[in-house]
């Protein structure tokens, strides 16, 4: 978990720096290719709406002029159009055009909503798809809360890009139609509109750049904050015990404070751009009117229309500007999501072609593994196991046992060396047959928030009787039957019905349920009382010979069922042999056994009781 201050460095290299400059066009192109029909509908309705609006403006201006002159008929030219009409006909035409614009407005508001909703669903489902395909190596490197933040808040912020792109299209096309209409009426007016819009775009560009940089810093801030929140929730119990509530609050407040400025700037800039635009446009409108008055004073009706069009173009120009601003501020979010999705997808291990049948041999050939370049967690491991053997793994804390388990499960490819099953690289087998063949009980049991049955089944097709058999073998069946809803009892993180040992046995049942060929247990009895441990020991004894069993254990008693025990010290094999051989040759195993023997005084007391 990064502290707020340590994030400073990473903020400097936000992904926005590496983004293509034409982000706005890229988003529009993306929408065009993702939803061509909707985009075509949006463009058509925007253009038609623009013309309807231009018509309404023309009718308004001419009618106002008629009323001002106390006339009832009009004979005028609006650009290329010669108009002869009564005031009544003009008003009917105006109402018709206004209604048409309303109908088109319904379309131009519905289509962006549809685009945003469907893009949001697509982004969420694509990102989750990529995450589930990613290698464990990449998934396990994510900062705490990172993925959760990406798939919730970051997608919400990124989706603003699509919303803004859709709004931008409507605004830009309507603006264009008004410009075209203005050209027809008065080329001077059109020139005025274009000049005004161009000047404002140039003036506001630096604000856009600044907003984009601040949004990138904010995106980084949200990720760190999400990590802090996740950690605080995970450690809530410890926080109570150690009375660390105040410090936790301070810590999260520090996260919030660390991105207060970019947050303020992003929010302010988003509003500032519209305000600046509005103020400047009135200024420039007055200037344009003066120019128009002196350059083309002939037709008062046309001048009125031009004035109205200038005002409306100003609004659409402002909408274009704020669309661009929103798009640019969404850019860091879009980029981060893309980078994450790319990293997840690129890490996905391709499935092999060979179906894995019976597991005959398992071999590690000169296998080393490093989490980072600095230090190897496993060094030049050589190991040969015959199918059906029961192997124990023992070693001091941090020796590399869980790392070895992850290699054996195929979760992490060795940094160097080979992992062979039946003489072939493990990657040559189909993922499906490999997943069916291996099972695992992790060091820390992790449950779904679901029924006991669903927890044991774990998304696989396993019939109820096999679920119950697995529960019996794992020594949890009797406990389950005592719970109010039996196998339908809801369990899961923070469900208070079950203890750590019961969780561990549910995980063991999960591992046994599909009758695996290779079962790996990472300290399966660490949370069990001696009687529950004996139950597990008995079921492991019954399983012996039916499958290849690898048991990582701190308790020496667990290793008694193993035919051979691998001793790992400091990432390297210290010894590999039967319990008797290991006892005779000394080293870590012998000293661990000696340390685990019951204290002599307790033994003496027990003997005297007998
Ligand atoms: N995800 C990780 N990233 C970086 N280093 C790690 C990671 N997991 C483990 N390590 C390091 O690799 C080494 C071996 O760790 P590992 O978890 O395999 O030990 P272990 O033998 O299982 O210990 P324990 O008995 O305490 O469970 C340790 O030095 C540990 O700090
Ligand atoms: Mg471990």
């Amino acid at each position: 978990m990064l502290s707020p201050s340590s994030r400073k460095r990473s903020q400097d290299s936000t992904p926005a720096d590496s983004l293509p400059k034409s982000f706005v066009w890229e988003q529009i192109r993306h929408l065009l290719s993702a939803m061509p029909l909707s985009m075509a509908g949006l463009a058509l309705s925007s253009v038609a709406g623009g013309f309807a609006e231009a018509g309404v403006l023309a009718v308004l201006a001419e009618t106002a002029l008629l009323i001002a002159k106390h006339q009832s008929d009009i004979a005028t030219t609006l650009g290329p159009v010669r108009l002869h009409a009564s005031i009544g006909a003009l008003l009917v035409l105006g109402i018709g055009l206004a209604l048409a614009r309303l109908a088109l407005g319904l379309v131009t508001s519905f289509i962006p909503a549809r685009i945003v909703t469907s893009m949001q669903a697509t982004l969420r489902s694509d990102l989750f798809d990529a995450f589930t395909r990613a290698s464990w190596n990449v998934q396990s490197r994510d900062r705490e809360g990172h993925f959760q933040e990406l798939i919730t808040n970051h997608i919400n912020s990124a989706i603003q890009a699509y919303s803004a792109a859709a709004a931008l299209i409507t605004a830009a096309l309507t603006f264009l139609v008004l410009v075209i209409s203005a050209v027809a009426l008065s080329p001077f007016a059109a020139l005025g509109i274009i000049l005004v819009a161009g000047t404002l775009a140039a003036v506001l560009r630096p604000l856009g750049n600044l907003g984009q940089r601040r949004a990138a810093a904010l995106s980084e801030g949200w990720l760190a904050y999400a990590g802090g929140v996740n950690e605080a929730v995970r450690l809530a119990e410890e926080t109570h015990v150690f009375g660390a509530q105040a410090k936790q609050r301070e810590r999260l407040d520090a996260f919030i404070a660390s991105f207060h400025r970019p947050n303020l700037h992003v929010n302010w800039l988003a509003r500032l751009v519209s305000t600046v635009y509005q103020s400047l446009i009135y200024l420039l409108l007055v200037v344009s009117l003066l120019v128009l008055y002196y350059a083309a004073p002939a037709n008062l009706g046309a001048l009125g229309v031009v004035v109205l069009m200038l005002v409306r173009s100003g609004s659409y120009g402002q909408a274009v500007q704020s669309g661009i601003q929103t798009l640019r501020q969404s850019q860091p979010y879009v980029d981060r999501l893309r980078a994450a999705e790319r990293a997840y997808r690129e890490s996905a291990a391709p499935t092999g072609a060979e179906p894995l049948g019976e597991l005959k041999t398992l071999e590690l050939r000169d296998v080393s593994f490093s989490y980072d370049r600095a230090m190897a967690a496993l060094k030049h491991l050589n190991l040969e196991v015959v199918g059906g053997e029961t192997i124990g793994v023992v070693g001091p804390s941090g020796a590399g046992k869980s790392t070895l388990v992850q290699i054996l499960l195929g979760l992490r490819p060795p940094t160097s060396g080979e992992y062979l099953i039946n003489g072939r690289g493990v990657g040559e087998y189909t993922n499906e047959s490999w997943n069916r063949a291996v099972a695992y009980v992790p060091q820390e049991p992790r449950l779904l928030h679901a029924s006991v049955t669903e927890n044991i089944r774990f998304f696989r097709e396993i019939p109820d009787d096999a679920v119950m058999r697995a529960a019996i073998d794992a020594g949890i069946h009797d406990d389950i039957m005592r719970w109010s809803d039996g196998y339908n009892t809801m369990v899961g993180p923070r469900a208070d019905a079950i203890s750590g040992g019961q969780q561990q046995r549910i995980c063991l049942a999960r591992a046994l349920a599909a009758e695996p060929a290779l079962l790996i247990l990472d300290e399966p009895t660490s949370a069990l009382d001696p009687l529950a441990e004996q139950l597990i020991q008995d079921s492991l004894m019954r399983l012996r010979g039916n499958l290849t069993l690898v048991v990582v254990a701190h308790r020496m008693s667990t290793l008694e069922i193993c035919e051979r025990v691998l001793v790992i010290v400091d990432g390297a094999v210290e010894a590999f042999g039967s319990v008797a051989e290991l006892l005779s040759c000394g080293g870590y195993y012998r000293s661990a056994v000696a340390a685990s023997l019951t204290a002599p005084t307790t033994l003496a007391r027990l003997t005297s009781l007998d």
Side-chain angles (χ1 to χ4, degrees):
M1 189 59 252
L2 288 178
S3 70
S5 55
S6 66
R7 285 184 303 99
K8 200 98 188 82
R9 264 169 289 116
S10 52
Q11 280 183 12
D12 296 337
S13 56
T14 45
D17 299 343
S18 59
L19 278 169
K21 292 275 177 267
S22 56
F23 181 73
V24 173
W25 291 118
E26 200 199 310
Q27 291 310 294
I28 292 172
R29 275 205 305 275
H30 181 68
L31 279 184
L32 279 172
S33 65
M35 305 185 76
L37 282 182
S38 294
M39 293 298 280
L42 184 65
L44 280 178
S45 52
S46 302
V47 169
F51 279 118
E53 183 162 353
V56 172
L57 295 177
V59 168
L60 273 179
E62 292 297 346
T63 313
L65 192 64
L66 280 184
I67 293 169
K69 289 181 174 172
H70 300 290
Q71 290 175 349
S72 58
D73 289 301
I74 189 171
T76 187
T77 50
L78 284 177
V81 183
R82 287 196 63 76
L83 198 64
H84 291 274
S86 68
I87 192 163
L90 265 186
L91 284 175
V92 170
L93 179 65
I95 291 170
L97 286 169
L99 287 177
R101 190 174 175 276
L102 174 69
L104 290 162
L106 294 181
V107 179
T108 50
S109 58
F110 175 73
I111 293 179
R114 191 163 164 267
I115 289 174
V116 165
T117 314
S118 100
M119 290 305 284
Q120 195 173 36
T122 310
L123 279 181
R124 283 197 205 289
S125 122
D126 283 357
L127 186 63
F128 195 70
D129 178 90
F131 177 76
T132 54
R133 289 171 201 279
S135 73
W136 169 240
N137 223 1
V138 162
Q139 287 175 337
S140 65
R141 277 172 211 267
D142 271 351
R143 271 146 56 185
E144 187 169 16
H146 180 267
F147 181 72
Q148 291 88 325
E149 163 63 27
L150 285 184
I151 204 160
T152 50
N153 283 338
H154 263 61
I155 284 193
N156 284 346
S157 301
I159 208 70
Q160 298 301 322
Y162 299 107
S163 176
L168 186 63
I169 286 173
T170 303
L173 287 174
T174 316
F175 177 83
L176 200 69
V177 168
L178 290 181
V179 170
I180 291 168
S181 309
V183 167
L185 293 169
S186 154
F188 279 110
L191 192 67
I193 294 173
I194 291 165
L195 272 179
V196 167
T199 313
L200 286 178
V203 167
L204 295 173
R205 195 172 166 75
L207 289 183
N209 292 343
L210 187 63
Q212 190 177 354
R213 283 199 300 277
R214 290 292 182 268
L218 191 56
S219 145
E220 180 76 23
W222 286 129
L223 284 173
Y225 179 65
V229 171
N230 256 44
E231 196 174 81
V233 172
R234 184 167 51 80
L235 294 175
E237 192 179 8
E238 286 82 348
T239 303
H240 274 289
V241 173
F242 295 108
Q245 292 93 334
K247 285 286 171 203
Q248 281 281 27
R249 284 193 293 272
E250 259 174 42
R251 190 158 163 268
L252 282 194
D253 284 347
F255 274 119
I256 296 172
S258 72
F259 56 84
H260 178 83
R261 276 169 68 85
N263 201 4
L264 176 70
H265 288 165
V266 163
N267 278 307
W268 183 44
L269 286 170
R271 287 165 180 79
L272 183 67
V273 167
S274 332
T275 312
V276 170
Y277 197 102
Q278 262 164 9
S279 310
L280 288 181
I281 193 120
Y282 286 126
L283 201 69
L284 290 167
L285 270 175
V286 175
V287 176
S288 312
L289 265 182
L290 279 176
V291 173
L292 268 180
Y293 180 77
Y294 286 110
N299 184 340
L300 271 183
L303 185 60
V305 182
V306 166
V307 170
L308 286 178
M309 280 184 186
L310 277 173
V311 173
R312 290 302 293 148
S313 309
S315 308
Y316 287 111
Q318 184 195 330
V320 169
Q321 193 66 49
S322 67
I324 291 174
Q325 172 82 2
T326 310
L327 257 164
R328 299 189 67 189
Q329 291 191 357
S330 315
Q331 186 174 352
Y333 295 92
V334 172
D335 181 65
R336 201 178 288 282
L337 284 168
R338 279 190 196 152
E341 189 176 336
R342 201 180 320 118
Y344 288 141
R345 292 206 187 281
E346 281 171 2
S347 76
T351 181
E354 201 64 30
L356 174 60
E358 192 190 343
L359 195 157
K360 296 188 187 118
T361 58
L362 179 160
E363 186 184 354
L364 293 184
R365 222 179 257 175
D366 197 27
V367 163
S368 297
F369 182 83
S370 319
Y371 288 100
D372 50 54
R373 278 184 208 139
M375 213 179 71
L378 293 176
K379 300 166 201 159
H380 307 289
L381 250 62
N382 285 295
L383 184 72
E384 260 189 81
V385 174
V386 180
E389 255 192 294
T390 300
I391 302 294
V393 180
V394 73
S397 186
K401 302 182 295 296
S402 296
T403 308
L404 172 64
V405 165
Q406 296 192 3
I407 300 264
L408 292 177
L409 288 167
L411 286 175
R412 294 186 193 271
T415 311
S416 63
E418 283 182 296
Y419 177 22
L420 306 171
I421 296 287
N422 299 345
R424 306 177 82 126
V426 74
E428 292 182 35
Y429 296 104
T430 62
N431 286 344
E432 198 200 354
S433 65
W434 176 247
N435 291 339
R436 215 173 324 112
V438 295
Y440 166 55
V441 181
Q443 200 164 357
E444 287 170 31
R446 284 182 287 265
L447 298 185
L448 299 169
H449 184 76
S451 70
V452 175
T453 301
E454 284 168 81
N455 264 287
I456 295 177
R457 194 172 274 145
F458 203 76
F459 306 112
R460 297 163 297 176
E461 300 284 325
I462 295 173
D464 285 349
D465 56 336
V467 167
M468 191 185 293
R469 221 174 22 250
I472 293 169
D473 286 344
I476 187 70
H477 174 74
D478 292 344
D479 295 47
I480 296 172
M481 296 315 285
R482 278 197 295 275
W483 296 338
S484 53
D485 289 328
Y487 277 83
N488 292 324
T489 307
M490 291 296 284
V491 293
R494 304 194 165 208
D496 45 20
I498 61 170
S499 70
Q502 287 166 335
Q503 290 180 33
Q504 203 156 28
R505 278 176 288 155
I506 289 179
C507 287
L508 178 60
R510 177 189 290 166
L512 296 178
E515 299 178 359
L518 171 63
L519 174 59
I520 302 181
L521 303 103
D522 197 350
E523 302 201 45
T525 56
S526 63
L528 302 184
D529 65 68
L531 295 180
E533 184 187 352
Q534 190 55 49
L535 279 175
I536 301 268
Q537 198 95 333
D538 292 346
S539 39
L540 293 183
M541 276 300 277
R542 279 197 301 278
L543 289 169
R544 260 168 54 130
N546 298 330
L547 47 69
T548 310
L549 200 57
V550 177
V551 189
V552 177
H554 271 309
R555 298 195 191 185
M556 294 300 122
S557 53
T558 315
L559 297 173
E560 279 160 18
I561 60 163
C562 300
E563 286 150 298
R564 289 193 291 165
V565 174
L566 178 75
V567 184
I568 303 190
V569 177
D570 200 15
V573 175
E574 187 191 79
F576 188 28
S578 68
V579 166
E581 284 165 353
L582 295 180
L583 276 176
S584 65
C585 70
Y588 174 81
Y589 185 80
R590 202 185 148 100
S591 45
V593 170
S596 72
L597 285 177
T598 314
T601 47
T602 317
L603 259 183
R605 272 194 212 128
L606 280 174
T607 321
S608 68
L609 279 178
D610 288 342

